DNA sequence: ATAAGTGTTAATTAACAGGCTACAATTTTT
DNA sequence: AAAAATTGTAGCCTGTTAATTAACACTTAT
């Protein structure tokens, strides 16, 4: 199945969840990670890891699956853009 | 949210999708990866990547999300077992 | 003008996917 | 039965990437 549109990077979505005017430094402190790490995520220079998803969900009161799911969709879309081998569906001897 | 039970590693699930008696070598050939790589996945020595999920879905006629979703759940459960920092939910000035 | 703070890049470390080689164990062939 | 081929996994190596700290350019406050 191919995704029609380039899904947003989770970091881009995360931006919208940060309160207007909150600095990267403040958010990083709340998440107990370095501001460098958060900056990279926000600028799509790094993805959402399971540990990061847990932190985000605790802080923003969402599910970790939401964040990891976004990352998954992004990873999948990226992989789909790469040249891929032709794989013949398995033959299961239906009858 | 905590997952009650240790989810199966995707490689464990993959085992059940392989036709009875099919060798790792044959399956790897169909997936166009090395038998070493497939062996590692089956033995939970490596996870499912986006590229792997695309191969599996093409071969087994499933969705890539199914495989990546399993990996996500597994990763999350692993991360939840680790010691985690206490993160206070953001205060959004509700009123 | 100095000092403190902000966001990003650079450099380093750790973890991990994937490949190839090697090897023990099994299976097949002769 | 002996030899040859095949199978699955462990070891080693490479490339990628998440995370940290240090360093940087830039802004704001004193």
């Amino acid at each position: 199945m191919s995704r029609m549109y380039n899904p947003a990077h989770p970091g881009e979505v995360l931006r919208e969840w940060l309160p207007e005017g909150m600095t990267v430094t403040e958010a990083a402190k709340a998440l107990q990670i370095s501001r460098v790490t958060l900056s990279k995520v926000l600028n799509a220079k790094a993805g959402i890891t399971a540990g990061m998803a847990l932190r985000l969900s605790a802080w923003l009161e969402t599910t970790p699956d939401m964040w990891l799911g976004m990352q998954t969709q992004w990873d999948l879309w990226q992989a789909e853009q790469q040249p891929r081998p032709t794989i013949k569906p398995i033959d299961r001897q239906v009858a």
Side-chain angles (χ1 to χ4, degrees), chain A residues 1-76:
Chain A
M1 187 64 67
S2 99
R3 272 135 206 85
M4 210 60 63
Y5 304 111
N6 184 335
H9 187 278
E12 201 177 320
V13 177
L14 176 54
R15 286 202 122 93
E16 304 166 6
W17 283 73
L18 302 185
E20 186 75 14
M22 172 173 283
T23 66
V24 171
T25 303
E26 289 170 323
K29 193 163 300 181
L31 290 166
Q32 298 177 54
I33 57 178
S34 76
R35 60 205 167 112
V36 174
T37 298
L38 180 56
S39 173
K40 281 201 244 186
V41 170
L42 291 173
N43 293 296
K45 296 278 175 43
I48 304 281
T49 62
M52 184 71 71
L54 288 174
R55 290 171 135 100
L56 289 175
S57 62
W59 187 46
L60 299 172
E61 296 173 293
T62 63
T63 61
D65 302 77
M66 170 183 146
W67 299 102
L68 274 184
M70 277 190 265
Q71 185 62 47
T72 290
Q73 294 312 307
W74 196 82
D75 289 344
L76 257 182

